[in-house]
Short mmCIF file of all heavy atoms in Angstrom, two decimals:
data_model
loop_
_atom_site.label_atom_id
_atom_site.label_comp_id
_atom_site.label_asym_id
_atom_site.label_seq_id
_atom_site.Cartn_x
_atom_site.Cartn_y
_atom_site.Cartn_z
N VAL A 21 -1.39 0.08 -1.30
CA VAL A 21 -2.41 -0.50 -0.42
C VAL A 21 -3.71 0.29 -0.53
O VAL A 21 -3.75 1.50 -0.24
CB VAL A 21 -1.93 -0.53 1.03
CG1 VAL A 21 -3.01 -1.09 1.95
CG2 VAL A 21 -0.65 -1.35 1.17
N GLU A 22 -4.75 -0.36 -0.99
CA GLU A 22 -6.10 0.18 -1.04
C GLU A 22 -6.19 1.54 -1.74
O GLU A 22 -6.99 2.40 -1.36
CB GLU A 22 -6.72 0.23 0.36
CG GLU A 22 -6.88 -1.16 0.94
CD GLU A 22 -7.50 -1.19 2.32
OE1 GLU A 22 -8.23 -0.25 2.67
OE2 GLU A 22 -7.24 -2.16 3.06
N CYS A 23 -5.37 1.73 -2.76
CA CYS A 23 -5.43 2.95 -3.57
C CYS A 23 -6.49 2.77 -4.65
O CYS A 23 -6.21 2.86 -5.85
CB CYS A 23 -4.06 3.27 -4.16
SG CYS A 23 -2.83 3.73 -2.93
N GLN A 24 -7.70 2.54 -4.22
CA GLN A 24 -8.81 2.22 -5.12
C GLN A 24 -9.85 3.32 -5.05
O GLN A 24 -9.93 4.09 -4.07
CB GLN A 24 -9.42 0.88 -4.72
CG GLN A 24 -9.89 0.81 -3.27
CD GLN A 24 -9.98 -0.61 -2.74
OE1 GLN A 24 -8.96 -1.21 -2.39
NE2 GLN A 24 -11.20 -1.13 -2.67
N LEU A 25 -10.66 3.41 -6.11
CA LEU A 25 -11.61 4.51 -6.21
C LEU A 25 -12.56 4.59 -5.03
O LEU A 25 -12.90 5.68 -4.56
CB LEU A 25 -12.41 4.39 -7.52
CG LEU A 25 -11.66 4.76 -8.80
CD1 LEU A 25 -12.47 4.38 -10.03
CD2 LEU A 25 -11.34 6.26 -8.81
N GLY A 26 -13.00 3.45 -4.53
CA GLY A 26 -13.94 3.45 -3.42
C GLY A 26 -13.36 3.87 -2.10
O GLY A 26 -14.08 4.08 -1.12
N VAL A 27 -12.02 4.02 -2.04
CA VAL A 27 -11.35 4.43 -0.81
C VAL A 27 -10.75 5.83 -0.95
O VAL A 27 -10.92 6.68 -0.07
CB VAL A 27 -10.26 3.41 -0.40
CG1 VAL A 27 -9.50 3.89 0.83
CG2 VAL A 27 -10.89 2.04 -0.14
N VAL A 28 -10.04 6.09 -2.05
CA VAL A 28 -9.35 7.38 -2.20
C VAL A 28 -9.87 8.18 -3.39
O VAL A 28 -9.32 9.24 -3.70
CB VAL A 28 -7.82 7.19 -2.31
CG1 VAL A 28 -7.25 6.60 -1.04
CG2 VAL A 28 -7.45 6.32 -3.52
N GLY A 29 -10.89 7.71 -4.06
CA GLY A 29 -11.44 8.40 -5.22
C GLY A 29 -12.41 9.50 -4.83
O GLY A 29 -12.74 9.70 -3.66
N PRO A 30 -12.92 10.25 -5.82
CA PRO A 30 -13.82 11.37 -5.54
C PRO A 30 -15.14 10.94 -4.92
O PRO A 30 -15.80 11.74 -4.26
CB PRO A 30 -14.02 12.01 -6.92
CG PRO A 30 -13.63 10.96 -7.91
CD PRO A 30 -12.58 10.13 -7.25
N ASP A 31 -15.56 9.68 -5.14
CA ASP A 31 -16.81 9.18 -4.56
C ASP A 31 -16.50 8.11 -3.51
O ASP A 31 -17.17 7.08 -3.42
CB ASP A 31 -17.71 8.61 -5.65
CG ASP A 31 -18.14 9.68 -6.65
OD1 ASP A 31 -18.45 10.81 -6.20
OD2 ASP A 31 -18.13 9.40 -7.86
N SER A 32 -15.51 8.37 -2.69
CA SER A 32 -15.04 7.42 -1.70
C SER A 32 -16.10 7.11 -0.65
O SER A 32 -16.90 7.97 -0.26
CB SER A 32 -13.79 7.98 -1.00
OG SER A 32 -13.45 7.22 0.14
N ALA A 33 -16.05 5.88 -0.16
CA ALA A 33 -16.86 5.51 1.01
C ALA A 33 -16.34 6.17 2.26
O ALA A 33 -17.04 6.27 3.27
CB ALA A 33 -16.85 3.98 1.17
N LEU A 34 -15.09 6.65 2.21
CA LEU A 34 -14.42 7.26 3.36
C LEU A 34 -13.91 8.64 2.94
O LEU A 34 -12.72 8.85 2.73
CB LEU A 34 -13.26 6.37 3.81
CG LEU A 34 -13.65 4.93 4.17
CD1 LEU A 34 -12.41 4.05 4.23
CD2 LEU A 34 -14.42 4.90 5.48
N LEU A 37 -10.82 10.27 4.65
CA LEU A 37 -9.56 9.64 4.30
C LEU A 37 -9.15 10.01 2.88
O LEU A 37 -7.98 10.31 2.60
CB LEU A 37 -9.67 8.12 4.44
CG LEU A 37 -8.44 7.30 4.02
CD1 LEU A 37 -7.22 7.69 4.85
CD2 LEU A 37 -8.73 5.81 4.16
N ALA A 38 -10.10 9.99 1.95
CA ALA A 38 -9.80 10.35 0.56
C ALA A 38 -9.29 11.78 0.47
O ALA A 38 -8.33 12.06 -0.26
CB ALA A 38 -11.05 10.17 -0.30
N LYS A 39 -9.92 12.69 1.22
CA LYS A 39 -9.49 14.09 1.22
C LYS A 39 -8.06 14.22 1.73
O LYS A 39 -7.24 14.96 1.17
CB LYS A 39 -10.43 14.93 2.06
CG LYS A 39 -10.08 16.41 2.10
CD LYS A 39 -11.08 17.19 2.96
CE LYS A 39 -10.72 18.66 3.02
NZ LYS A 39 -11.68 19.42 3.88
N ALA A 41 -5.71 11.80 1.78
CA ALA A 41 -4.78 11.14 0.86
C ALA A 41 -4.44 12.04 -0.32
O ALA A 41 -3.29 12.09 -0.77
CB ALA A 41 -5.38 9.83 0.36
N ARG A 42 -5.42 12.78 -0.80
CA ARG A 42 -5.19 13.67 -1.94
C ARG A 42 -4.61 15.00 -1.50
O ARG A 42 -3.65 15.51 -2.09
CB ARG A 42 -6.49 13.86 -2.71
CG ARG A 42 -6.94 12.59 -3.42
CD ARG A 42 -8.25 12.75 -4.17
NE ARG A 42 -8.56 11.52 -4.90
CZ ARG A 42 -8.10 11.24 -6.11
NH1 ARG A 42 -7.34 12.12 -6.75
NH2 ARG A 42 -8.41 10.10 -6.70
N LEU A 47 -1.28 10.52 -2.29
CA LEU A 47 -1.71 9.76 -3.46
C LEU A 47 -0.86 10.14 -4.68
O LEU A 47 -0.47 9.27 -5.48
CB LEU A 47 -3.19 10.00 -3.75
CG LEU A 47 -3.82 9.04 -4.77
CD1 LEU A 47 -3.79 7.61 -4.26
CD2 LEU A 47 -5.25 9.47 -5.08
N GLN A 95 -17.24 -1.73 -1.62
CA GLN A 95 -16.08 -2.16 -2.41
C GLN A 95 -16.39 -3.51 -3.05
O GLN A 95 -15.80 -4.54 -2.73
CB GLN A 95 -14.84 -2.24 -1.50
CG GLN A 95 -14.65 -1.07 -0.55
CD GLN A 95 -14.49 0.26 -1.26
OE1 GLN A 95 -13.82 0.34 -2.28
NE2 GLN A 95 -15.08 1.31 -0.71
N ALA A 101 -15.55 0.85 -7.81
CA ALA A 101 -14.95 1.17 -6.51
C ALA A 101 -13.65 0.42 -6.26
O ALA A 101 -12.82 0.88 -5.48
CB ALA A 101 -15.94 0.86 -5.39
N ARG A 103 -11.39 -0.34 -8.65
CA ARG A 103 -10.38 -0.02 -9.65
C ARG A 103 -9.31 0.87 -9.03
O ARG A 103 -9.61 1.67 -8.14
CB ARG A 103 -11.00 0.69 -10.85
CG ARG A 103 -12.01 -0.16 -11.62
CD ARG A 103 -12.64 0.65 -12.73
NE ARG A 103 -13.74 -0.07 -13.37
CZ ARG A 103 -14.65 0.48 -14.14
NH1 ARG A 103 -14.60 1.79 -14.40
NH2 ARG A 103 -15.61 -0.25 -14.67
N ILE A 104 -8.07 0.75 -9.52
CA ILE A 104 -6.99 1.60 -9.02
C ILE A 104 -7.29 3.05 -9.39
O ILE A 104 -7.65 3.36 -10.53
CB ILE A 104 -5.64 1.17 -9.58
CG1 ILE A 104 -5.38 -0.32 -9.27
CG2 ILE A 104 -4.52 2.03 -9.03
CD1 ILE A 104 -5.39 -0.65 -7.79
N ALA A 105 -7.15 3.94 -8.42
CA ALA A 105 -7.54 5.34 -8.60
C ALA A 105 -6.49 6.13 -9.37
O ALA A 105 -5.29 5.87 -9.26
CB ALA A 105 -7.77 5.99 -7.24
N ASP A 106 -6.97 7.10 -10.15
CA ASP A 106 -6.07 8.08 -10.74
C ASP A 106 -5.46 8.92 -9.62
O ASP A 106 -6.10 9.12 -8.58
CB ASP A 106 -6.85 8.99 -11.69
CG ASP A 106 -7.31 8.25 -12.95
OD1 ASP A 106 -6.66 7.26 -13.31
OD2 ASP A 106 -8.32 8.68 -13.52
N ILE A 108 -2.68 7.14 -10.34
CA ILE A 108 -1.73 6.03 -10.30
C ILE A 108 -1.75 5.28 -11.64
O ILE A 108 -2.81 4.80 -12.07
CB ILE A 108 -2.07 5.06 -9.16
CG1 ILE A 108 -1.94 5.78 -7.81
CG2 ILE A 108 -1.17 3.83 -9.18
CD1 ILE A 108 -2.43 4.97 -6.63
N GLY A 147 0.36 3.91 0.43
CA GLY A 147 -1.09 3.91 0.31
C GLY A 147 -1.81 4.26 1.60
O GLY A 147 -1.35 5.06 2.40
N VAL A 148 -2.96 3.61 1.82
CA VAL A 148 -3.82 3.90 2.98
C VAL A 148 -4.32 2.58 3.59
O VAL A 148 -4.30 1.55 2.94
CB VAL A 148 -5.02 4.77 2.55
CG1 VAL A 148 -4.55 6.11 2.02
CG2 VAL A 148 -5.88 4.07 1.50
N ALA A 176 -1.16 7.76 4.10
CA ALA A 176 -2.09 8.73 4.69
C ALA A 176 -3.05 8.03 5.62
O ALA A 176 -3.38 6.85 5.44
CB ALA A 176 -2.85 9.49 3.61
#
Side-chain angles (χ1 to χ4, degrees):
V21 178
E22 296 181 25
C23 292
Q24 57 203 78
L25 285 171
V27 176
V28 296
D31 297 318
S32 169
L34 303 165
L37 177 60
K39 181 180 179 181
R42 291 179 176 275
L47 192 64
Q95 315 299 320
R103 297 176 188 164
I104 304 302
D106 291 334
I108 297 172
V148 297

